[in-house]
Structures are given as structure tokens and as C-alpha cells.
Amino acid sequence: CSASSNKPVLTLFTKKPCPLCDEAKEVLEPYEKRFILQEVDITLPENSVWYDKYKYDIPVFHLNGKFLMKHRVDIQKFKDELMKLELQNE
């Protein structure tokens, strides 16, 4: 079954420590089987573009490469967008 390869990718722009990021991941935990979480540490030199863009806004989430939300998880928006992507992939 190739369903896993069709899972949406949720990118979390983060840095250590980030209590808000940890909190956000907990909120998303019930849905973790429906997406692939990719974490980007904005403090790494290769991620300086993201650091400049998001240093005051983390956590920031992109879903399949598109900006989704920042600061806190908007669970309704997340579920709506996830559902849209899942329907497209069926």
C-alpha cells in the first residue's frame, strides 16, 4: 500500500528550546498517523533564510510547503487543510 507516501508533510520551524513547539506537537499528537512531521531547526546555518523569516514567530507550520499557521496550533484550520489534502490524494 502506497498510502504512507501520499501523507501530507507538516513542517515545523523550531529551535531549541521551544516550549511552544513542544506544546504544539502535543496538540497535534492525535493526528500524527495522518501526516509526516518534518522539523527544521532555524538556528542551523543552512536554515538561515528561515531564521531571518521566522525568528520571532516560532512555532511556524507549513503543510506540504505552504504556510499554514504560526505561534499556536489552530486545530480546526489544521484539520480542514489536512482533510482537503487527504481528499485530493484518494
Side-chain angles (χ1 to χ4, degrees), residues 69-84:
M69 56 195 169
K70 64 183 180 183
H71 302 152
R72 298 214 173 277
V73 171
D74 177 341
I75 202 65
Q76 195 55 56
K77 182 176 187 183
F78 171 73
K79 290 194 315 196
D80 292 348
E81 292 300 318
L82 189 61
M83 184 70 71
K84 272 187 221 165

Side-chain angles (χ1 to χ4, degrees), residues 36-58:
I36 296 162
L37 181 66
Q38 176 184 43
E39 292 189 44
V40 175
D41 184 339
I42 64 170
T43 62
L44 297 176
E46 63 267 27
N47 296 327
S48 62
V49 170
W50 297 116
Y51 180 80
D52 293 341
K53 194 167 182 173
Y54 292 142
K55 60 186 165 203
Y56 303 119
D57 290 318
I58 61 166

Side-chain angles (χ1 to χ4, degrees), residues 60-74:
V60 175
F61 292 93
H62 286 195
L63 190 58
N64 276 5
K66 290 201 325 237
F67 175 82
L68 182 65
M69 56 195 169
K70 64 183 180 183
H71 302 152
R72 298 214 173 277
V73 171
D74 177 341

